[in-house]
Amino acid sequence: MTESGRTRFLALLMATVVAALSTAAFAISNTTFEGRETRAKSRNPVLAGRGQEPKALWNRYWESEQGRQFSVVVVWPLTTDAPLPPGLDYWPAPGEAFLSPALADGPAREDFARRYGHAVGQIGEEGLATPGERLVYTRPSEAMLNSSHLEGITAFGSPGPSFGDVRLIGEGRDQQLAIIMALLLALPAAGLAVAAARMGAHGYDRRARLLHLMGANRRARAWMNLGGAALPITLGALTAALLLTPALIWNVTLPWIDFTLAAADLRKAASHLLVAVLGSALAVLAITLLLQPSPSPATKARRGRGDSGGILSRMASAACCVFLTAALLAGWLAPQAPIYYQVAVIGVLATLPSVIGRLTARLAPRLALSAHMSGAPGRLIAARALAARPGTVVRLVSTLVIAVGVIGQTQLITSMLYNRSGDTALLHSAEGKSMALIQAADRARPSEEFRAVLPKGLQVVSLGHTDLQPDGSSGGRIIQAPCADLTALVLPCPEAGSSEEVPFGRLDRRLKATTYTYFGDTSATIRTGPTQKLDPQDMYLVVFDPQGQALDIPAVKRAARLTLSTDAVIRPLAEGSQSYTLGFQARWLPFLGAVGTTFLTLAMVFSTLSEFLRFARNLAPLTAVTGEYGVFRATAGWALALPMALAGVAGVATYIILALPVIGGPKNAELSGELCAAILTLTAALSLATTLAAQRTAMREAQAWRPRAD
């Protein structure tokens, strides 16, 4: 296999596929954001104005599944021509519900088919922001119709505030995602394209010089390069188009993160996807042509490359310093503007390999002098090679540096989001489900029926505010329940008509955590009596297991919604004062980071393989001079392993420096010492493996080498 043969062909093909898919991801992201905004507005209700006769009643509230929020919409038609909500074929009968496919196919333990009434159908795609959205339309029973406040509406299609998944997406999130994709996808794809373009550089450079000596002009040499790259790049573009085609026909669910792309949205953006594929192919072709050096005569070429390389190297070094400073300042001075920080990080990672190449070229002469004085031929050969070709070092270390940066930034941003999200360990624990707070509207039905349908063994207390003020503040809380329920919470049972004060510190720790959002750290006035509404507006009930066992949360939710209030909000202990939205959205980061790291791994394989082949062929004639193969190991260690080890150390150091402005504070990111140790260990192992593989490759070439005219 030759450098310029099948390996380079495969490298260019894969680089084009990766570049096209990465560019298409931006078009897919943009059309997905636009599509769900459009569908979200089409299902927004148009409220009946003054003097207008409403055609239906409507309201919505939040529900959750394992901390993941979604919307439940309560509807009731008033006229025969009442407009159907988008995605519904007919009005559900009283006590029936329509579920989105994601909920209809959800876990049986959640009991979605009965939780909101009897499920009779699924919501169509035109009524969902995305095909995988969780959403419910429910029509209460006749008995439950007046158990909550419902607004009169006349139609659907209001531009007002949306509900459902769209409501959980913060403003500017599309721009933030674009920057993250540029860091985790586009930058690795660019690294792979550069690695593929210079795959077989040594052979191509020799042929270009030969054509130059034969009188070929720049255009002829460009046609040679074009002829070698056109076929694999064309095949790569066609492959990318074939990979994207199924997503235009069917809804495709992305692995790992369980997000479904809407084929209807992608069909609307088909022209943009075509432009992305063609533009990526042209970009890879341009990189391939532009990265071919000028085949000037030897002395002039060396001088030209040195001057040009020096200027470019100095520019890259200056740019790296500027980007690094900008990243630190953006992190410290503009913590609410993460886009600036991420853009600066991209600049640092893109220019750092050139800085390493420049430093290596500066240190190489000293290394050569030291090797000459100590009589170390392997180190001498490597030092002179590094000094003569710093671009080789840049190609060798760039993918490794960017890979470390991508992994580090993935960890930082992921930790940032998870640390600002709820405690997932508590969410999935028995303790996190051992108590639940129920908030029902002022129209809620009496609680006796609710208590009767709860699973056996559960107990209930009611809560209310003392000295409730118009702004919602109060001087304390009231806890009222039969004596058996109070005793289960280690509370006193005052005689009828009396009460007893219990300070906040003496309350059950689960009760404090569950009710803190609504009652703060106020003391409690304990009264013995029936569970009932104690506030003039909302009803607060706490359901708990006296033994601290996990509640059957779906059963509690079903009982509350079907007997107490259709819009009752049920918050288990783990969700009482915590949101898990950011943690759920953070699942995108490991996904994109893993994809980007895969791209970089391919680039590293191609770059290293190219260096192996060049290294082996250049050193093969040394057997005629030295008569032994030991020099190969030393040369490989200094020429290949040392730059890779330095790249790993530089990447980890950069990760640490870039983490400084986002650790703690409002961003609350965490620096992972385990990740640093793992990267350094893997880098050391990779450097050792590279040395041994290069040595063996050189030995095979040396054994097959025969003198020939060159």
Side-chain angles (χ1 to χ4, degrees), residues 33 172-180 339:
F33 273 102
R173 192 59 55 86
D174 53 342
Q175 298 177 4
Q176 296 175 15
L177 180 60
I179 295 297
I180 290 175
I339 291 180

Side-chain angles (χ1 to χ4, degrees), residues 165-251:
D165 284 357
V166 177
R167 187 79 173 190
L168 300 174
I169 302 173
E171 186 178 355
R173 192 59 55 86
D174 53 342
Q175 298 177 4
Q176 296 175 15
L177 180 60
I179 295 297
I180 290 175
M181 287 197 302
L183 173 63
L184 303 184
L185 288 184
L187 186 60
L192 177 56
V194 172
R198 292 302 289 165
M199 182 75 186
H202 183 62
Y204 265 78
D205 295 349
R206 291 179 59 189
R207 283 190 288 275
R209 286 193 291 269
L210 179 60
L211 287 174
H212 176 75
L213 292 175
M214 295 173 63
N217 57 20
R218 185 183 298 274
R219 178 179 298 179
R221 296 192 301 272
W223 278 111
M224 181 196 74
N225 293 328
L226 179 62
L231 181 58
I233 291 176
T234 301
L235 290 178
L238 291 175
T239 302
L242 289 176
L243 292 175
L244 290 171
T245 299
L248 301 177
I249 304 173
W250 303 287
N251 294 334

Side-chain angles (χ1 to χ4, degrees), residues 20-383:
L21 294 181
S22 299
T23 307
F26 289 88
I28 292 173
S29 173
N30 184 63
T31 191
T32 298
F33 273 102
E34 291 180 352
R36 61 177 162 190
E37 284 287 349
T38 299
R39 286 185 291 274
K41 291 179 180 179
S42 70
R43 70 188 185 191
N44 282 343
V46 179
L47 300 180
R50 179 175 298 181
Q52 284 186 305
E53 189 71 21
K55 295 185 176 183
L57 300 176
W58 183 96
N59 199 359
R60 60 94 179 159
Y61 59 89
W62 286 114
E63 168 66 299
S64 66
E65 175 203 359
Q66 296 295 313
R68 182 179 179 183
Q69 289 184 303
F70 59 91
S71 287
V72 176
V73 182
V74 182
V75 291
W76 186 278
L78 296 175
T79 62
T80 56
D81 62 341
L84 276 172
L88 269 61
D89 296 328
Y90 58 90
W91 283 103
E96 294 181 343
F98 276 81
L99 306 178
S100 66
L103 290 181
D105 299 333
R109 66 177 183 274
E110 294 292 338
D111 198 21
F112 291 124
R114 296 192 303 156
R115 185 188 294 186
Y116 314 100
H118 177 60
V120 294
Q122 296 187 12
I123 303 172
E125 284 189 21
E126 63 275 16
L128 301 173
T130 61
E133 183 183 28
R134 287 158 168 76
L135 185 67
V136 178
Y137 280 102
T138 178
R139 183 175 178 180
S141 64
E142 294 279 357
M144 296 296 295
L145 176 59
N146 296 319
S147 65
S148 62
H149 178 70
L150 297 176
E151 297 181 294
I153 66 171
T154 58
F156 291 95
S158 168
S162 301
F163 60 92
D165 284 357
V166 177
R167 187 79 173 190
L168 300 174
I169 302 173
E171 186 178 355
R173 192 59 55 86
D174 53 342
Q175 298 177 4
Q176 296 175 15
L177 180 60
I179 295 297
I180 290 175
M181 287 197 302
L183 173 63
L184 303 184
L185 288 184
L187 186 60
L192 177 56
V194 172
R198 292 302 289 165
M199 182 75 186
H202 183 62
Y204 265 78
D205 295 349
R206 291 179 59 189
R207 283 190 288 275
R209 286 193 291 269
L210 179 60
L211 287 174
H212 176 75
L213 292 175
M214 295 173 63
N217 57 20
R218 185 183 298 274
R219 178 179 298 179
R221 296 192 301 272
W223 278 111
M224 181 196 74
N225 293 328
L226 179 62
L231 181 58
I233 291 176
T234 301
L235 290 178
L238 291 175
T239 302
L242 289 176
L243 292 175
L244 290 171
T245 299
L248 301 177
I249 304 173
W250 303 287
N251 294 334
V252 174
T253 300
L254 299 178
W256 190 357
I257 57 174
D258 192 30
F259 182 84
T260 303
L261 298 173
D265 291 342
L266 269 61
R267 284 194 290 269
K268 293 178 182 178
S271 60
H272 296 116
L273 294 176
L274 179 61
V275 170
V277 172
L278 295 179
S280 299
L282 293 176
V284 174
L285 182 61
I287 291 174
T288 304
L289 298 178
L290 293 175
L291 289 184
Q292 307 304 321
S294 176
S296 303
T299 303
K300 182 179 178 181
R302 282 196 298 269
R303 186 183 306 116
R305 286 196 302 269
D307 295 343
S308 176
I311 293 174
L312 293 177
S313 178
R314 286 193 293 271
M315 291 176 61
S317 299
C320 186
C321 294
V322 171
F323 283 126
L324 185 60
T325 303
L328 295 176
L329 292 177
W332 279 319
L333 301 181
Q336 304 305 322
I339 291 180
Y340 301 120
Y341 172 79
Q342 292 298 338
V343 170
V345 167
I346 294 173
V348 171
L349 297 179
T351 54
L352 185 58
S354 295
V355 176
I356 296 176
R358 178 177 172 82
L359 293 176
T360 304
R362 284 182 171 273
L363 294 176
R366 298 182 183 181
L367 182 63
L369 179 60
S370 172
H372 179 74
M373 295 178 62
S374 61
R379 198 184 344 152
L380 179 62
I381 295 169

Side-chain angles (χ1 to χ4, degrees), residues 553-567:
I553 296 296
V556 174
K557 291 183 175 181
R558 182 175 64 250
R561 303 263 169 59
L562 300 183
T563 64
L564 194 65
S565 174
T566 58
D567 62 352

